[in-house]
Amino acid sequence: MKIETHQLKLAEQQSWSIKGKIGFKSNKKKQSANLHWQQNSSEYQLNLTTIIGTSILKMYGDKHFSTLITDNGTYKDNKASRLISRITGWELPVENLQFWVKGQYSANEQTVVSEQGLVTQLTPECSYCENWTIDYSDYQKIQDIWLPHRIILNNHSNSSQLLIKVNTWSLN
């Protein structure tokens, strides 16, 4: 499989959802949650719940505006990464996650690619993500596309890590 063909297939996937687990680890804290993420073009909805199904947070929006709902209230911002940081303390490049979770990258990003043409590591190039490295593993074929089921985002500036373990991909 050619990397270019695979990346084109990923780019065509504008509507999808994943269910799985998400974990955040820093020098100060560790947290984990169940994850349900729905993406429809630029619109998204993200739900994080405890192991018994209690809501931790809900976040939804598009590329222009985001809303985050917790037990403590409803918060809004025009930049999703700033909103997440303000409420949770997590420093995450949220705006690009919809691409990175699929293993999709842009032309100016550095990649390491397996012999099968799948991204195994991505070093992003953007103004708010220069300290991140993303590692991919456990690819599985969903419909006609290879998608990662384990994504680890490492922030080298603050030694934090975000782990996304996908149990289920749904392509619409």
mmCIF file of all heavy atoms in Angstrom, residues 1-13 102-107 109 111-119 139 144-146:
data_model
loop_
_atom_site.group_PDB
_atom_site.id
_atom_site.type_symbol
_atom_site.label_atom_id
_atom_site.label_comp_id
_atom_site.label_asym_id
_atom_site.label_seq_id
_atom_site.Cartn_x
_atom_site.Cartn_y
_atom_site.Cartn_z
ATOM 1 N N MET A 1 0.848 -1.176 0.000
ATOM 2 C CA MET A 1 0.000 0.000 0.000
ATOM 3 C C MET A 1 0.894 1.240 0.000
ATOM 4 O O MET A 1 1.848 1.330 0.766
ATOM 5 C CB MET A 1 -0.885 -0.034 1.247
ATOM 6 C CG MET A 1 -1.548 1.264 1.553
ATOM 7 S SD MET A 1 -2.628 1.235 2.989
ATOM 8 C CE MET A 1 -1.570 0.644 4.268
ATOM 9 N N LYS A 2 0.555 2.193 -0.817
ATOM 10 C CA LYS A 2 1.318 3.434 -0.879
ATOM 11 C C LYS A 2 0.808 4.396 0.190
ATOM 12 O O LYS A 2 -0.386 4.493 0.447
ATOM 13 C CB LYS A 2 1.164 4.094 -2.249
ATOM 14 C CG LYS A 2 1.891 3.397 -3.351
ATOM 15 C CD LYS A 2 1.799 4.216 -4.606
ATOM 16 C CE LYS A 2 2.683 3.644 -5.667
ATOM 17 N NZ LYS A 2 2.706 4.484 -6.855
ATOM 18 N N ILE A 3 1.747 5.115 0.790
ATOM 19 C CA ILE A 3 1.386 6.085 1.831
ATOM 20 C C ILE A 3 0.453 7.158 1.277
ATOM 21 O O ILE A 3 -0.494 7.567 1.944
ATOM 22 C CB ILE A 3 2.647 6.714 2.489
ATOM 23 C CG1 ILE A 3 2.265 7.672 3.608
ATOM 24 C CG2 ILE A 3 3.487 7.474 1.498
ATOM 25 C CD1 ILE A 3 2.124 7.043 4.932
ATOM 26 N N GLU A 4 0.672 7.602 0.042
ATOM 27 C CA GLU A 4 -0.167 8.646 -0.542
ATOM 28 C C GLU A 4 -1.613 8.169 -0.703
ATOM 29 O O GLU A 4 -2.556 8.897 -0.426
ATOM 30 C CB GLU A 4 0.383 9.101 -1.906
ATOM 31 C CG GLU A 4 1.742 9.743 -1.844
ATOM 32 C CD GLU A 4 2.896 8.729 -1.845
ATOM 33 O OE1 GLU A 4 2.676 7.518 -2.082
ATOM 34 O OE2 GLU A 4 4.033 9.165 -1.572
ATOM 35 N N THR A 5 -1.784 6.929 -1.134
ATOM 36 C CA THR A 5 -3.125 6.356 -1.300
ATOM 37 C C THR A 5 -3.825 6.257 0.045
ATOM 38 O O THR A 5 -4.999 6.601 0.177
ATOM 39 C CB THR A 5 -3.034 4.954 -1.948
ATOM 40 O OG1 THR A 5 -2.322 5.067 -3.178
ATOM 41 C CG2 THR A 5 -4.402 4.361 -2.184
ATOM 42 N N HIS A 6 -3.100 5.794 1.040
ATOM 43 C CA HIS A 6 -3.669 5.668 2.375
ATOM 44 C C HIS A 6 -4.067 7.043 2.922
ATOM 45 O O HIS A 6 -5.154 7.203 3.487
ATOM 46 C CB HIS A 6 -2.663 4.986 3.312
ATOM 47 C CG HIS A 6 -3.207 4.750 4.671
ATOM 48 N ND1 HIS A 6 -2.676 5.341 5.784
ATOM 49 C CD2 HIS A 6 -4.253 3.994 5.108
ATOM 50 C CE1 HIS A 6 -3.363 4.962 6.847
ATOM 51 N NE2 HIS A 6 -4.315 4.153 6.469
ATOM 52 N N GLN A 7 -3.223 8.039 2.771
ATOM 53 C CA GLN A 7 -3.526 9.386 3.264
ATOM 54 C C GLN A 7 -4.741 9.983 2.540
ATOM 55 O O GLN A 7 -5.561 10.667 3.165
ATOM 56 C CB GLN A 7 -2.308 10.306 3.130
ATOM 57 C CG GLN A 7 -1.211 10.000 4.132
ATOM 58 C CD GLN A 7 -1.634 10.294 5.558
ATOM 59 O OE1 GLN A 7 -2.112 11.368 5.880
ATOM 60 N NE2 GLN A 7 -1.459 9.305 6.436
ATOM 61 N N LEU A 8 -4.902 9.696 1.258
ATOM 62 C CA LEU A 8 -6.084 10.165 0.524
ATOM 63 C C LEU A 8 -7.352 9.521 1.070
ATOM 64 O O LEU A 8 -8.383 10.189 1.240
ATOM 65 C CB LEU A 8 -5.954 9.884 -0.973
ATOM 66 C CG LEU A 8 -5.000 10.788 -1.741
ATOM 67 C CD1 LEU A 8 -4.806 10.279 -3.169
ATOM 68 C CD2 LEU A 8 -5.503 12.223 -1.748
ATOM 69 N N LYS A 9 -7.285 8.230 1.380
ATOM 70 C CA LYS A 9 -8.438 7.543 1.970
ATOM 71 C C LYS A 9 -8.793 8.141 3.329
ATOM 72 O O LYS A 9 -9.965 8.304 3.656
ATOM 73 C CB LYS A 9 -8.167 6.040 2.124
ATOM 74 C CG LYS A 9 -8.241 5.269 0.843
ATOM 75 C CD LYS A 9 -8.024 3.794 1.123
ATOM 76 C CE LYS A 9 -8.130 2.971 -0.135
ATOM 77 N NZ LYS A 9 -7.996 1.532 0.149
ATOM 78 N N LEU A 10 -7.773 8.457 4.119
ATOM 79 C CA LEU A 10 -8.015 9.069 5.428
ATOM 80 C C LEU A 10 -8.662 10.446 5.270
ATOM 81 O O LEU A 10 -9.588 10.792 6.002
ATOM 82 C CB LEU A 10 -6.711 9.193 6.224
ATOM 83 C CG LEU A 10 -6.063 7.898 6.674
ATOM 84 C CD1 LEU A 10 -4.722 8.179 7.341
ATOM 85 C CD2 LEU A 10 -6.980 7.113 7.595
ATOM 86 N N ALA A 11 -8.182 11.231 4.312
ATOM 87 C CA ALA A 11 -8.729 12.573 4.092
ATOM 88 C C ALA A 11 -10.193 12.522 3.663
ATOM 89 O O ALA A 11 -10.978 13.428 3.976
ATOM 90 C CB ALA A 11 -7.897 13.314 3.048
ATOM 91 N N GLU A 12 -10.575 11.457 2.964
ATOM 92 C CA GLU A 12 -11.971 11.306 2.534
ATOM 93 C C GLU A 12 -12.909 11.019 3.707
ATOM 94 O O GLU A 12 -14.106 11.245 3.610
ATOM 95 C CB GLU A 12 -12.080 10.167 1.514
ATOM 96 C CG GLU A 12 -11.451 10.486 0.186
ATOM 97 C CD GLU A 12 -11.371 9.271 -0.729
ATOM 98 O OE1 GLU A 12 -11.789 8.158 -0.332
ATOM 99 O OE2 GLU A 12 -10.869 9.437 -1.859
ATOM 100 N N GLN A 13 -12.364 10.524 4.801
ATOM 101 C CA GLN A 13 -13.180 10.182 5.967
ATOM 102 C C GLN A 13 -13.466 11.431 6.789
ATOM 103 O O GLN A 13 -12.701 11.816 7.655
ATOM 104 C CB GLN A 13 -12.483 9.113 6.822
ATOM 105 C CG GLN A 13 -12.261 7.818 6.115
ATOM 106 C CD GLN A 13 -13.555 7.268 5.524
ATOM 107 O OE1 GLN A 13 -14.572 7.183 6.188
ATOM 108 N NE2 GLN A 13 -13.487 6.891 4.262
ATOM 109 N N LYS A 102 -6.635 9.678 13.279
ATOM 110 C CA LYS A 102 -6.748 8.745 12.145
ATOM 111 C C LYS A 102 -5.378 8.340 11.588
ATOM 112 O O LYS A 102 -5.289 7.448 10.758
ATOM 113 C CB LYS A 102 -7.551 9.379 11.001
ATOM 114 C CG LYS A 102 -8.970 9.718 11.333
ATOM 115 C CD LYS A 102 -9.729 10.231 10.109
ATOM 116 C CE LYS A 102 -9.249 11.577 9.654
ATOM 117 N NZ LYS A 102 -10.040 12.115 8.518
ATOM 118 N N GLY A 103 -4.328 9.049 11.998
ATOM 119 C CA GLY A 103 -3.012 8.819 11.403
ATOM 120 C C GLY A 103 -2.804 9.692 10.181
ATOM 121 O O GLY A 103 -1.901 9.455 9.378
ATOM 122 N N GLN A 104 -3.603 10.717 10.054
ATOM 123 C CA GLN A 104 -3.521 11.637 8.918
ATOM 124 C C GLN A 104 -2.599 12.802 9.275
ATOM 125 O O GLN A 104 -2.609 13.278 10.408
ATOM 126 C CB GLN A 104 -4.918 12.173 8.593
ATOM 127 C CG GLN A 104 -4.983 13.052 7.376
ATOM 128 C CD GLN A 104 -6.409 13.557 7.120
ATOM 129 O OE1 GLN A 104 -7.359 13.071 7.699
ATOM 130 N NE2 GLN A 104 -6.523 14.545 6.259
ATOM 131 N N TYR A 105 -1.810 13.239 8.322
ATOM 132 C CA TYR A 105 -0.885 14.337 8.575
ATOM 133 C C TYR A 105 -0.898 15.301 7.403
ATOM 134 O O TYR A 105 -1.396 14.987 6.318
ATOM 135 C CB TYR A 105 0.531 13.805 8.831
ATOM 136 C CG TYR A 105 1.125 13.072 7.653
ATOM 137 C CD1 TYR A 105 1.870 13.743 6.696
ATOM 138 C CD2 TYR A 105 0.937 11.706 7.491
ATOM 139 C CE1 TYR A 105 2.409 13.083 5.612
ATOM 140 C CE2 TYR A 105 1.480 11.027 6.415
ATOM 141 C CZ TYR A 105 2.213 11.721 5.480
ATOM 142 O OH TYR A 105 2.733 11.060 4.407
ATOM 143 N N SER A 106 -0.340 16.500 7.634
ATOM 144 C CA SER A 106 -0.228 17.482 6.558
ATOM 145 C C SER A 106 1.187 17.443 5.983
ATOM 146 O O SER A 106 2.097 16.857 6.575
ATOM 147 C CB SER A 106 -0.578 18.881 7.057
ATOM 148 O OG SER A 106 0.336 19.288 8.041
ATOM 149 N N ALA A 107 1.362 18.085 4.849
ATOM 150 C CA ALA A 107 2.622 17.996 4.106
ATOM 151 C C ALA A 107 3.825 18.513 4.895
ATOM 152 O O ALA A 107 4.933 18.023 4.717
ATOM 153 C CB ALA A 107 2.495 18.765 2.794
ATOM 154 N N GLU A 109 4.435 18.240 8.087
ATOM 155 C CA GLU A 109 4.710 17.489 9.308
ATOM 156 C C GLU A 109 5.680 16.348 9.023
ATOM 157 O O GLU A 109 5.634 15.738 7.958
ATOM 158 C CB GLU A 109 3.407 16.963 9.916
ATOM 159 C CG GLU A 109 2.523 18.115 10.380
ATOM 160 C CD GLU A 109 1.160 17.681 10.864
ATOM 161 O OE1 GLU A 109 0.567 16.767 10.266
ATOM 162 O OE2 GLU A 109 0.697 18.276 11.842
ATOM 163 N N THR A 111 7.196 12.624 9.458
ATOM 164 C CA THR A 111 6.615 11.322 9.759
ATOM 165 C C THR A 111 7.652 10.211 9.659
ATOM 166 O O THR A 111 8.645 10.334 8.944
ATOM 167 C CB THR A 111 5.468 10.965 8.782
ATOM 168 O OG1 THR A 111 5.986 10.964 7.451
ATOM 169 C CG2 THR A 111 4.323 11.935 8.896
ATOM 170 N N VAL A 112 7.379 9.147 10.398
ATOM 171 C CA VAL A 112 8.079 7.876 10.232
ATOM 172 C C VAL A 112 7.001 6.910 9.768
ATOM 173 O O VAL A 112 5.916 6.837 10.356
ATOM 174 C CB VAL A 112 8.705 7.393 11.563
ATOM 175 C CG1 VAL A 112 9.338 6.019 11.382
ATOM 176 C CG2 VAL A 112 9.715 8.404 12.083
ATOM 177 N N VAL A 113 7.283 6.193 8.686
ATOM 178 C CA VAL A 113 6.279 5.341 8.059
ATOM 179 C C VAL A 113 6.783 3.899 8.042
ATOM 180 O O VAL A 113 7.959 3.638 7.772
ATOM 181 C CB VAL A 113 5.991 5.831 6.617
ATOM 182 C CG1 VAL A 113 4.976 4.954 5.924
ATOM 183 C CG2 VAL A 113 5.519 7.281 6.633
ATOM 184 N N SER A 114 5.864 2.970 8.320
ATOM 185 C CA SER A 114 6.215 1.544 8.300
ATOM 186 C C SER A 114 6.355 1.049 6.862
ATOM 187 O O SER A 114 5.970 1.735 5.914
ATOM 188 C CB SER A 114 5.126 0.734 9.014
ATOM 189 O OG SER A 114 3.947 0.703 8.235
ATOM 190 N N GLU A 115 6.862 -0.166 6.714
ATOM 191 C CA GLU A 115 6.980 -0.776 5.388
ATOM 192 C C GLU A 115 5.613 -0.928 4.725
ATOM 193 O O GLU A 115 5.511 -0.958 3.503
ATOM 194 C CB GLU A 115 7.651 -2.151 5.496
ATOM 195 C CG GLU A 115 9.105 -2.088 5.859
ATOM 196 C CD GLU A 115 9.729 -3.477 5.985
ATOM 197 O OE1 GLU A 115 9.111 -4.463 5.527
ATOM 198 O OE2 GLU A 115 10.833 -3.566 6.537
ATOM 199 N N GLN A 116 4.555 -1.025 5.538
ATOM 200 C CA GLN A 116 3.195 -1.169 5.016
ATOM 201 C C GLN A 116 2.586 0.172 4.595
ATOM 202 O O GLN A 116 1.463 0.220 4.114
ATOM 203 C CB GLN A 116 2.282 -1.826 6.063
ATOM 204 C CG GLN A 116 2.657 -3.245 6.409
ATOM 205 C CD GLN A 116 3.830 -3.337 7.395
ATOM 206 O OE1 GLN A 116 4.102 -2.406 8.140
ATOM 207 N NE2 GLN A 116 4.520 -4.456 7.369
ATOM 208 N N GLY A 117 3.303 1.282 4.795
ATOM 209 C CA GLY A 117 2.802 2.599 4.400
ATOM 210 C C GLY A 117 1.941 3.268 5.454
ATOM 211 O O GLY A 117 1.174 4.174 5.149
ATOM 212 N N LEU A 118 2.063 2.830 6.706
ATOM 213 C CA LEU A 118 1.285 3.407 7.799
ATOM 214 C C LEU A 118 2.183 4.268 8.677
ATOM 215 O O LEU A 118 3.330 3.909 8.946
ATOM 216 C CB LEU A 118 0.657 2.298 8.645
ATOM 217 C CG LEU A 118 -0.225 1.308 7.888
ATOM 218 C CD1 LEU A 118 -0.624 0.152 8.790
ATOM 219 C CD2 LEU A 118 -1.442 2.009 7.314
ATOM 220 N N VAL A 119 1.668 5.389 9.126
ATOM 221 C CA VAL A 119 2.434 6.291 9.985
ATOM 222 C C VAL A 119 2.634 5.628 11.343
ATOM 223 O O VAL A 119 1.684 5.175 11.970
ATOM 224 C CB VAL A 119 1.703 7.638 10.157
ATOM 225 C CG1 VAL A 119 2.432 8.531 11.141
ATOM 226 C CG2 VAL A 119 1.543 8.344 8.826
ATOM 227 N N TYR A 139 -2.639 -0.947 14.333
ATOM 228 C CA TYR A 139 -3.532 -0.636 13.211
ATOM 229 C C TYR A 139 -4.436 -1.819 12.922
ATOM 230 O O TYR A 139 -4.000 -2.974 12.988
ATOM 231 C CB TYR A 139 -2.721 -0.321 11.952
ATOM 232 C CG TYR A 139 -2.244 1.108 11.857
ATOM 233 C CD1 TYR A 139 -1.058 1.511 12.440
ATOM 234 C CD2 TYR A 139 -2.981 2.063 11.159
ATOM 235 C CE1 TYR A 139 -0.604 2.813 12.333
ATOM 236 C CE2 TYR A 139 -2.537 3.370 11.038
ATOM 237 C CZ TYR A 139 -1.351 3.737 11.630
ATOM 238 O OH TYR A 139 -0.917 5.024 11.524
ATOM 239 N N ASP A 144 -12.336 -0.451 4.417
ATOM 240 C CA ASP A 144 -11.208 -0.605 3.492
ATOM 241 C C ASP A 144 -10.009 0.246 3.908
ATOM 242 O O ASP A 144 -9.142 0.523 3.098
ATOM 243 C CB ASP A 144 -11.672 -0.236 2.075
ATOM 244 C CG ASP A 144 -10.685 -0.662 1.016
ATOM 245 O OD1 ASP A 144 -9.978 -1.663 1.226
ATOM 246 O OD2 ASP A 144 -10.603 0.028 -0.020
ATOM 247 N N ILE A 145 -9.978 0.685 5.184
ATOM 248 C CA ILE A 145 -8.951 1.631 5.613
ATOM 249 C C ILE A 145 -8.263 1.121 6.881
ATOM 250 O O ILE A 145 -8.920 0.684 7.819
ATOM 251 C CB ILE A 145 -9.574 3.017 5.895
ATOM 252 C CG1 ILE A 145 -10.280 3.540 4.641
ATOM 253 C CG2 ILE A 145 -8.524 4.008 6.353
ATOM 254 C CD1 ILE A 145 -11.062 4.787 4.882
ATOM 255 N N TRP A 146 -6.956 1.223 6.920
ATOM 256 C CA TRP A 146 -6.188 0.890 8.109
ATOM 257 C C TRP A 146 -6.207 2.080 9.050
ATOM 258 O O TRP A 146 -5.803 3.177 8.673
ATOM 259 C CB TRP A 146 -4.757 0.519 7.748
ATOM 260 C CG TRP A 146 -4.668 -0.808 7.064
ATOM 261 C CD1 TRP A 146 -4.648 -1.036 5.723
ATOM 262 C CD2 TRP A 146 -4.598 -2.082 7.696
ATOM 263 N NE1 TRP A 146 -4.571 -2.381 5.478
ATOM 264 C CE2 TRP A 146 -4.543 -3.048 6.675
ATOM 265 C CE3 TRP A 146 -4.586 -2.514 9.030
ATOM 266 C CZ2 TRP A 146 -4.477 -4.411 6.945
ATOM 267 C CZ3 TRP A 146 -4.510 -3.868 9.292
ATOM 268 C CH2 TRP A 146 -4.451 -4.793 8.257
#
